[in-house]
Amino acid sequence: MDLGLTGRSVIVTGASRGIGYAIAETFAAEGARLTIAARTEAPLLAARDRLAATGAQVHAVVCDTTSATDCERLIAEAVRVHGGLHVLVNNAGGSVRSDDFDTRWVGTFEANVQSVARLCLLARPHLAASGDGAIVNIASIYGRESGGGPEYNAMKSAEIAL
């Protein structure tokens, strides 16, 4: 299928495994130039190498999306390496495990809502400059119905609303 993505610059967060890797793999198959991001270097570099072995143009950036500095660096590197930005896929997220209520709720907010809002804001001027930019936020069915932990459900609901 040709979705017209050949040569488009795409960032995918949480791309070292699972849904994020599958998203990156699909964009690679469409000829997009990828910047993939995840917190842990070894799995991220392994994902980069698997994608590059298919002929994809792929750059990997170790990035904790809850860090403002890391988010700024991610956007800047994607723009620098690929000459612009056309698509941002916010896939990173999850629950923070802790017995401390504030740590659990604030950490889960930072991972699922604040990080997405920050990356959207940072990417916006570059997406607008591309003339046809897009943002895709990956949430969860648990943002609409029960199933995850209460903090995860609430934050995915907030992400959907965002």
Side-chain angles (χ1 to χ4, degrees):
M1 178 181 318
D2 183 1
L3 299 175
L5 298 170
T6 300
R8 303 288 188 185
S9 172
V10 177
I11 294 174
V12 181
T13 66
S16 63
R17 61 187 176 88
I19 292 170
Y21 181 79
I23 291 167
E25 195 173 38
T26 301
F27 275 106
E30 290 292 323
R33 294 173 292 139
L34 295 171
T35 300
I36 60 171
R39 287 179 301 186
T40 309
E41 185 175 36
L44 177 64
L45 296 180
R48 178 202 61 196
D49 293 346
R50 286 192 314 274
L51 291 165
T54 70
Q57 285 185 279
V58 58
H59 178 64
V61 177
V62 175
C63 175
D64 176 351
T65 59
T66 66
S67 161
T69 302
D70 279 10
C71 289
E72 291 166 2
R73 185 173 44 80
L74 172 62
I75 299 295
E77 282 198 37
V79 169
R80 178 184 60 79
V81 169
H82 296 302
L85 182 60
H86 297 91
V87 180
L88 169 64
V89 179
N90 286 306
N91 174 68
S95 292
V96 172
R97 305 282 186 224
S98 175
D99 290 335
D100 179 69
F101 175 85
D102 290 332
T103 299
R104 191 173 69 246
W105 278 78
V106 171
T108 303
F109 173 79
E110 290 172 346
N112 295 282
V113 182
Q114 185 170 312
S115 63
V116 169
R118 177 181 290 120
L119 281 166
C120 289
L121 182 64
L122 292 168
R124 187 172 181 262
H126 304 288
L127 296 168
S130 77
D132 61 354
I135 297 171
V136 179
N137 295 329
I138 306 299
S140 170
I141 191 67
Y142 295 144
R144 293 182 26 208
E145 60 188 53
S146 181
E151 68 281 348
Y152 183 79
N153 294 356
M155 299 318 156
K156 286 302 180 180
S157 182
E159 185 180 355
I160 290 167
L162 179 66

